[in-house]
Amino acid sequence: MLLGTTENNQEDANWDWFWWEEVSNGLYLIRERFFDPNKRANIWLVQGSLRDLVIDAGLGLRDLRRYLESTGLIGTKAVMAVATHIHFEHSGGLHHFDRVAVHRAEARALIRGNNFETATWLYDSEITRTPQRGWKAKHYRVKAVQPSRILDHGDIIHLGNRQLTVLHMPGHSRGSICLHDQENCILFSGDVVYNGSMVDWLPSSNISDYIQTCKRLMTLVDNDLVNQVLPGHFDPFDAERLYRLASSYVANAGVCHKILSCAARCFTRLALWLNYGR
């Protein structure tokens, strides 16, 4: 397993903002080193024989594309960045890429730079090294991006020797997707599921949708279509853990859970509305 950082770049004194790890041949995990580990998103790079795919793009405080070029992780092949959903820690860096893909349900919000729907919620204390002198979290915004591809459920993203199927999995957000590498039984799950509590109290979250999504995740496991889950946060896990997380959500999404989630959603919507409006 290979690890890497880029240090002392003459063009950018903070070029060690990112960290990368080779997970397997042609598959890399990238993380933002100076963003709170409890909130930072996993960024996945899938190298194909014809083109490369970046899955989620981080905050956008540093230029992810230029970093990947400087490390040699991407080169002359075409590159597309796809958002598993548009929440700020996943979509903030999309504007650094020429080709961007997002699910249809969240495309309009991304085009508008709607920081209410991106659930932008960042504090100075969560950034342990500021990207520029005088930077303040209160000024951070997700920039508007014009997608080059609008995704729907069942679409195939062809990379040459690999292909990923788009699975629309709403619940965490209206446009949440998973990307399924069926040949290798890998699921890039975004925030649909990771090794922690499922968040269903953000502005476009929907518990009923989430229950149906979890049932579909369980079906993927039952049909032996997933061996490894590469999530949007924290560490990868296996199919058994995926089934437990999904089935636990379904079992516990009762009346009390719905009341507490609704209260949290109302508070979150108010706080975001005061900062960003609709």
Side-chain angles (χ1 to χ4, degrees):
M1 185 174 287
L2 301 177
L3 305 177
T5 59
T6 297
E7 306 273 358
N8 301 321
N9 188 296
Q10 294 297 318
E11 196 176 21
D12 189 340
N14 276 337
W15 213 237
D16 61 347
W17 178 270
F18 298 102
W19 165 98
W20 63 264
E21 172 185 14
E22 184 176 23
V23 177
S24 62
N25 186 34
L27 177 59
Y28 297 84
L29 168 63
I30 299 102
R31 284 175 172 154
E32 296 176 285
R33 299 176 64 212
F34 305 112
F35 183 26
D36 182 352
N38 292 313
K39 289 187 68 175
R40 70 183 175 200
N42 292 332
I43 300 164
W44 301 98
L45 169 64
V46 185
Q47 295 174 332
S49 58
L50 296 180
R51 56 189 61 86
D52 297 332
L53 185 70
V54 175
I55 302 173
D56 290 330
L59 291 172
L61 296 179
R62 307 307 310 168
D63 192 325
L64 174 61
R65 174 164 187 142
R66 282 167 54 201
Y67 172 79
L68 295 175
E69 291 172 341
S70 73
T71 57
L73 293 176
I74 62 174
T76 58
K77 288 180 293 183
V79 180
M80 184 170 71
V82 58
T84 60
H85 61 301
I86 64 166
H87 289 162
F88 75 101
E89 75 272 29
H90 299 262
S91 66
L94 292 176
H95 69 278
H96 289 133
F97 293 85
D98 297 328
R99 299 179 180 89
V100 170
V102 66
H103 188 269
R104 182 176 303 278
E106 293 182 337
R108 184 181 178 190
L110 185 63
I111 293 168
R112 294 170 56 199
N114 184 337
N115 277 262
F116 178 87
E117 189 151 348
T118 61
T120 301
W121 200 299
L122 187 63
Y123 296 99
D124 289 335
S125 60
E126 294 170 335
I127 303 297
T128 58
R129 181 191 291 185
T130 56
Q132 294 95 21
R133 183 178 300 176
W135 181 90
K136 294 293 183 182
K138 66 182 179 180
H139 301 307
Y140 172 80
R141 298 290 188 277
V142 173
K143 294 183 179 180
V145 175
Q146 180 68 49
S148 55
R149 181 173 178 182
I150 304 299
L151 300 174
D152 289 302
H153 179 78
D155 284 353
I156 306 294
I157 299 175
H158 294 277
L159 304 180
N161 61 329
R162 307 180 77 143
Q163 63 179 30
L164 302 176
T165 303
V166 176
L167 304 178
H168 184 210
M169 297 284 199
H172 176 70
S173 75
R174 74 178 88 248
S176 284
I177 61 171
C178 295
L179 296 174
H180 187 209
D181 181 345
Q182 187 167 344
E183 181 178 355
N184 296 294
C185 294
I186 295 172
L187 187 72
F188 296 92
S189 66
D191 282 6
V192 172
V193 58
Y194 50 79
N195 217 344
S197 300
M198 296 184 186
V199 174
D200 59 7
W201 40 263
L202 291 170
S204 67
S205 299
N206 185 291
I207 293 175
S208 296
D209 286 345
Y210 223 148
I211 291 171
Q212 295 307 310
T213 281
C214 285
K215 290 179 179 178
R216 291 169 59 201
L217 291 171
M218 294 160 65
T219 299
L220 289 175
V221 177
D222 287 337
N223 292 331
D224 295 322
L225 294 174
V226 175
N227 290 331
Q228 185 181 29
V229 180
L230 303 182
H233 294 273
F234 312 126
D235 294 329
F237 50 93
D238 61 16
E240 181 180 353
R241 179 62 176 161
L242 172 60
Y243 194 93
R244 287 204 304 268
L245 289 167
S247 60
S248 177
Y249 182 85
V250 173
N252 292 304
V255 174
C256 290
H257 175 88
K258 291 178 180 178
I259 292 172
L260 291 173
S261 177
C262 180
R265 189 178 306 112
C266 290
F267 170 80
T268 303
R269 289 178 67 91
L270 177 61
L272 289 170
W273 184 83
L274 290 173
N275 280 325
Y276 305 110
R278 285 307 302 259

